[in-house]
Amino acid sequence: MTPNKEDYLKAIYRLGGMEELVGNKQIAEALQIAPASVTEMLGKLRREGLLHYEPYKGSRLTAEGMNAAISLVRGHRLWEVFLMRHLGYSWSEAHEDAELLEHITPP
C-alpha cells in the first residue's frame, strides 16, 4: 500500500469513519488537497475493499480498512515514544519524523 493511501485511511479513521460516513470535503480539508483528488482515491480504496463509499454521502472504513488505519496510528505513536524517550526528540520533532517512519515500518 502506498503512503498516500495510508494517509487517506488515517484521515478517515481520525474523522470518525469507523462508525459514520465521512464526507469528501472533510477528507480534503484534513489532507489539504482538492476534493476531486479525494473522489478518485476513494474509488481506488473502495475497489481494494478498504472502505464503503456512497457517492454524495461519504465513506466509512471496512473492517480491513479499520485494521490498516489502527495499525498505522499505533505505529506512529510507537515511533513518537521511541524518538522522544531514546533519542531526545521534542514532541513536534518526533511527530514529524513518525509521519515518515510509520509508512516504512512493517506491520
Side-chain angles (χ1 to χ4, degrees):
M1 183 178 315
T2 66
N4 195 23
K5 289 179 182 178
E6 291 175 343
D7 287 341
Y8 272 84
L9 293 177
K10 266 187 11 181
I12 295 167
Y13 173 79
R14 288 186 172 143
L15 292 167
M18 307 155 295
E19 300 165 351
E20 58 190 54
L21 294 173
V22 177
N24 291 18
K25 185 176 178 182
Q26 290 174 280
I27 298 167
E29 288 172 357
L31 295 173
Q32 298 178 350
I33 55 174
S37 299
V38 172
T39 302
E40 183 180 341
M41 180 60 82
L42 294 181
K44 291 177 185 178
L45 293 171
R46 182 187 56 77
R47 287 189 293 277
E48 292 179 22
L50 297 169
L51 59 82
H52 299 289
Y53 174 62
E54 296 181 36
Y56 307 106
K57 292 185 180 180
S59 302
R60 185 173 18 90
L61 296 170
T62 62
E64 185 179 349
M66 193 178 323
N67 288 337
I70 290 170
S71 177
L72 284 164
V73 170
R74 280 186 185 146
H76 179 96
R77 289 182 182 153
L78 286 170
W79 274 117
E80 285 178 335
V81 170
F82 173 79
L83 293 169
M84 289 170 53
R85 284 190 185 167
H86 299 286
L87 300 181
Y89 278 50
S90 68
W91 182 86
S92 61
E93 292 170 328
H95 177 72
E96 192 173 310
D97 283 354
E99 281 291 325
L100 301 171
L101 293 167
E102 72 189 22
H103 297 294
I104 60 169
T105 307

